[in-house]
Amino acid sequence: MNIPNVNEIIAQKFEEIAVRIANNNNLPQSFKTIFQNSFTASINKDVAITTYQQLSNVESTKALQNQSFANKIYELEKSSYTPYNLSTNLSKSEIINIATKKAKEYGLAPSLVLSVIEAESGFRQDAISKAGAIGLMQLMPETAKALGVNPYDPIENLDGGIRYLKEKLEQFGGNIELALAAYNAGPANVIKYGGIPPFDETVEYVQKVLLLSQKYRVYDV
């Protein structure tokens, strides 16, 4: 009877983890570098075992934090939303078709909606900002909750984002520039400053969306 070599098993597991980490674009390069150094040192059995256990603990802790974060914000059951790795993977053309259809349903110009999507996320459905904005139209968690959508679902994200943009247009009397400023900086700031807030990011955002909308005019017909 052959007894498996413990060192070989650990080395095999370590190699599997190394491949997964190297291919994970969401991890910072500094983490990958630290891991690579640890992996190189893993020829020593004790180091390999310790590092493997630490990585397992990190992955378990991260998974628990992500689950807790999602459930806390949206107050949903586990099965009622789909994380990114299981969500619908839409192509850019599919996103454009869906967004165009929904924009027309809500009475908005598709060119405006599509330019907002490009400015917000570059059509990346897995985009998350430093502030915590989620998905294609970069919905903040509290905004998504108020709109009754799951921001991790790209179709719901589009629906919620388009409805929110329409709300801002109606709130500011159809003024596109003010609606865009409110979408970016919040309606309270637009009201506070009586126009586009004097924030560089917001001013540039409004100009960018208006410029981008020109290339999407073909979808308005």
Side-chain angles (χ1 to χ4, degrees), residues 17 53 74 94 98 165 173 197:
I17 295 174
Q53 290 175 338
Y74 305 107
E94 289 174 324
I98 294 171
L165 180 59

Side-chain angles (χ1 to χ4, degrees), residues 33-64:
T33 300
I34 293 173
F35 177 83
Q36 185 60 46
N37 293 337
S38 298
F39 180 68
T40 302
S42 66
I43 53 175
N44 180 292
K45 182 179 70 174
D46 292 335
V47 173
I49 293 175
T50 301
T51 307
Y52 177 75
Q53 290 175 338
Q54 290 175 342
L55 286 171
S56 297
N57 291 336
V58 169
E59 288 190 353
S60 297
T61 300
K62 183 178 180 180
L64 289 173

Side-chain angles (χ1 to χ4, degrees), residues 178-197:
L178 294 184
L180 291 173
Y183 195 99
N184 176 262
N189 279 317
V190 175
I191 295 172
K192 176 182 178 181
Y193 291 99
I196 299 175

Side-chain angles (χ1 to χ4, degrees), residues 150-215:
N150 171 13
Y152 292 103
D153 183 300
I155 297 177
E156 289 192 32
N157 188 291
L158 288 171
D159 184 85
I162 294 170
R163 282 192 286 121
Y164 184 71
L165 180 59
K166 181 180 180 179
E167 287 180 7
K168 299 308 107 185
L169 277 166
E170 293 176 344
Q171 182 177 358
F172 294 100
N175 187 307
I176 294 177
E177 293 186 358
L178 294 184
L180 291 173
Y183 195 99
N184 176 262
N189 279 317
V190 175
I191 295 172
K192 176 182 178 181
Y193 291 99
I196 299 175
F199 309 146
D200 290 342
E201 177 186 335
T202 302
V203 173
E204 292 173 3
Y205 174 83
V206 172
Q207 294 174 345
K208 180 178 182 179
V209 172
L210 294 177
L211 182 62
L212 286 172
S213 67
Q214 297 178 16
K215 74 175 182 178

Side-chain angles (χ1 to χ4, degrees), residues 6-214:
V6 174
N7 290 336
E8 291 178 355
I9 294 175
I10 293 175
Q12 181 181 357
K13 294 295 184 182
F14 230 45
E15 289 175 357
E16 293 175 357
I17 295 174
V19 172
R20 287 165 53 195
I21 288 179
N23 293 332
N24 192 326
N25 295 326
N26 293 324
L27 292 175
Q29 186 58 45
S30 59
F31 177 88
K32 294 182 180 181
T33 300
I34 293 173
F35 177 83
Q36 185 60 46
N37 293 337
S38 298
F39 180 68
T40 302
S42 66
I43 53 175
N44 180 292
K45 182 179 70 174
D46 292 335
V47 173
I49 293 175
T50 301
T51 307
Y52 177 75
Q53 290 175 338
Q54 290 175 342
L55 286 171
S56 297
N57 291 336
V58 169
E59 288 190 353
S60 297
T61 300
K62 183 178 180 180
L64 289 173
Q65 289 175 339
N66 288 341
Q67 178 179 344
S68 175
F69 175 76
N71 288 338
K72 179 179 180 181
I73 291 179
Y74 305 107
E75 298 179 354
L76 301 172
E77 297 296 332
K78 291 181 180 179
S79 61
S80 64
Y81 76 97
T82 306
Y84 280 128
N85 61 338
L86 298 177
S87 65
T88 304
N89 187 20
L90 301 176
S91 66
K92 183 175 180 179
S93 62
E94 289 174 324
I95 293 170
I96 290 176
N97 288 337
I98 294 171
T100 297
K101 181 179 179 180
K102 286 185 175 293
K104 291 180 178 180
E105 288 177 356
Y106 290 120
L108 298 184
S111 59
L112 177 62
V113 171
L114 294 173
S115 59
V116 168
I117 296 172
E118 180 169 338
E120 290 288 345
S121 67
F123 289 91
R124 284 185 53 212
Q125 63 192 51
D126 63 344
I128 298 181
S129 74
K130 294 180 180 179
I134 302 166
L136 292 164
M137 298 194 73
Q138 291 290 274
L139 299 178
M140 292 299 289
E142 59 270 22
T143 301
K145 184 176 180 180
L147 292 165
V149 298
N150 171 13
Y152 292 103
D153 183 300
I155 297 177
E156 289 192 32
N157 188 291
L158 288 171
D159 184 85
I162 294 170
R163 282 192 286 121
Y164 184 71
L165 180 59
K166 181 180 180 179
E167 287 180 7
K168 299 308 107 185
L169 277 166
E170 293 176 344
Q171 182 177 358
F172 294 100
N175 187 307
I176 294 177
E177 293 186 358
L178 294 184
L180 291 173
Y183 195 99
N184 176 262
N189 279 317
V190 175
I191 295 172
K192 176 182 178 181
Y193 291 99
I196 299 175
F199 309 146
D200 290 342
E201 177 186 335
T202 302
V203 173
E204 292 173 3
Y205 174 83
V206 172
Q207 294 174 345
K208 180 178 182 179
V209 172
L210 294 177
L211 182 62
L212 286 172
S213 67
Q214 297 178 16

